[in-house]
Amino acid sequence: MTDPKEYINDVAYNVKNAFSLNDDLDKIIESEFENAFKILDELSIIEYIKSKYKINYIKPKLKILEDKPPIIGEYSQIENEISISKKSIERSIDSQLEFLGYKEIKRPISDIQGIEYLNKSYNSIFLYPLYINERNIRKAIAESIIRSAMFHEIWHSIDWIILYKLLEDPVIKDINNFTILNNLELRASAFEVVMYYLVNDFYKHE
């Protein structure tokens, strides 16, 4: 008969070090990038914006960086490129594990899926729920972090084109005095939250 202590050690694991994403992180980033645009196409969001503002929107390129802390995602107007930092994602995952109570502990593996909430210190107004399966907890957190960051940066890529189009209006003389610039991050965060809830079907929950 198997020793109970040995059995517990076999089924227990250190969550922080288990299921390291390694090269899978590149695949998750690429997948979330393509899926984000697929969803926007299915909902005709980009087509609507292009039609409304008469803009020529070009899908940005994706650049995966090994390290660029502390930024997870960043949009470059000059390059029309969204950069995603793997190192920042890994650090954010570890931070989320600590926030969720998984710091350096051993716990039994569970297949039960539940809902947890991401800790977004820069956006404390909204809750970011995510479905958790403890066998793939790092992957679940990574997907949620990347998904929200991707929609945030995609909106920046749309927003800047809209702003430059609006500058063609003779009423607007100087972009430096264009008060709408003060709300760039607010608009990107609002789009991020709406799309995050929409894509994950969380809007169906009370």
Side-chain angles (χ1 to χ4, degrees), residues 98-206:
E98 180 178 351
F99 173 74
L100 296 173
Y102 290 90
K103 184 181 180 183
E104 298 293 346
I105 62 174
K106 288 188 175 182
R107 55 187 295 127
I109 297 174
S110 172
D111 282 318
I112 299 175
Q113 181 170 276
I115 293 180
E116 295 283 3
Y117 293 91
L118 294 180
N119 177 28
K120 296 239 182 181
S121 57
Y122 67 87
N123 192 350
S124 58
I125 298 175
F126 302 103
L127 293 174
Y128 285 76
L130 72 152
Y131 291 114
I132 287 289
N133 181 318
E134 290 187 351
R135 285 185 181 275
N136 296 285
I137 188 169
R138 291 186 70 86
K139 182 179 179 182
I141 293 174
E143 289 173 341
S144 294
I145 291 171
I146 296 166
R147 186 169 302 150
S148 62
M150 202 66 75
F151 281 116
H152 187 102
E153 300 310 324
I154 287 174
W155 180 256
H156 279 313
S157 73
I158 296 171
D159 208 12
W160 275 109
I161 295 178
I162 294 174
L163 291 177
Y164 283 116
K165 182 65 177 181
L166 292 175
L167 281 175
E168 297 176 4
D169 189 329
V171 175
I172 302 172
K173 302 297 183 182
D174 186 355
I175 192 169
N176 293 320
N177 295 323
F178 197 9
T179 57
I180 199 170
L181 285 175
N182 297 329
N183 297 318
L184 283 171
E185 286 302 320
L186 178 61
R187 292 195 299 278
S189 294
F191 185 75
E192 167 193 338
V193 171
V194 170
M195 292 307 302
Y196 184 84
Y197 271 74
L198 187 64
V199 170
N200 291 294
D201 290 335
F202 286 123
Y203 64 95
K204 297 179 180 179
H205 297 275
E206 295 183 0

